């Protein structure tokens, strides 16, 4: 089974930047699409950004213009470049890859933005 592992644990000040990485154990094109989600304690996990197999991207409104999702197929990796971070971006960020049959989640990585 394909696994994905996030990295990029960070504590940054508001206005700062951070890049999260997600590395898969196999070719990421095995996934139909990949995405970053985030979740705060007691809240539902929300989709932040997604990238399809063809490279089409989409973002939740609150991060448009600040976050960029990308991938490096040769490295089996997906990234989330986060800029102009706000305290409300503080969450655990999860990498996800899915096909029509399977959904694979990473264990999450903490991002904390101080005011």
């Amino acid at each position: 089974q394909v696994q994905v592992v996030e990295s990029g644990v960070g504590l940054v000040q508001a206005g700062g930047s951070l890049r999260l990485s997600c590395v898969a154990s196999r070719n990421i094109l095995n996934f139909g699409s990949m995405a970053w989600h985030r979740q705060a304690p007691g809240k539902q996990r929300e989709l932040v950004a997604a990238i399809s197999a063809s490279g089409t991207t989409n973002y939740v409104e609150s991060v448009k213009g600040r976050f960029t999702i990308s991938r490096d197929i040769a490295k089996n990796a997906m990234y989330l470049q986060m800029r102009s971070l706000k305290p409300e971006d503080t969450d655990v960020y999860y990498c996800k890859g899915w096909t029509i049959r399977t959904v694979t989640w990473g264990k999450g990585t903490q991002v904390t933005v101080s005011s």
Side-chain angles (χ1 to χ4, degrees):
Q1 184 176 355
V2 182
Q3 295 181 325
V4 292
V5 179
E6 305 95 339
S7 62
V9 174
L11 172 61
V12 297
Q13 289 188 329
S17 298
L18 187 64
R19 189 176 83 155
L20 303 182
S21 300
C22 170
V23 178
S25 57
R26 293 196 325 213
N27 191 326
I28 59 173
L29 291 180
N30 286 306
F31 295 120
S33 296
M34 297 188 74
W36 287 97
H37 289 245
R38 65 186 180 186
Q39 186 173 24
K43 294 187 177 181
Q44 284 192 327
R45 193 171 294 187
E46 70 164 350
L47 174 67
V48 176
I51 184 166
S52 71
S54 64
T56 301
T57 60
N58 62 79
Y59 301 88
V60 68
E61 191 65 33
S62 60
V63 307
K64 285 182 179 178
R66 300 189 298 122
F67 290 12
T68 303
I69 189 171
S70 63
R71 65 186 180 186
D72 186 331
I73 296 170
K75 295 182 179 180
N76 295 334
M78 178 182 67
Y79 307 101
L80 186 67
Q81 178 67 53
M82 304 184 289
R83 299 181 177 88
S84 301
L85 283 161
K86 304 175 181 180
E88 52 263 44
D89 295 317
T90 295
D91 273 324
V92 177
Y93 285 70
Y94 296 89
C95 170
K96 182 179 82 173
W98 72 96
T99 69
I100 58 173
R101 298 185 190 86
T102 62
V103 178
T104 302
W105 288 96
K107 293 183 178 180
T109 186
Q110 177 70 47
V111 172
T112 302
V113 184
S114 62
S115 57

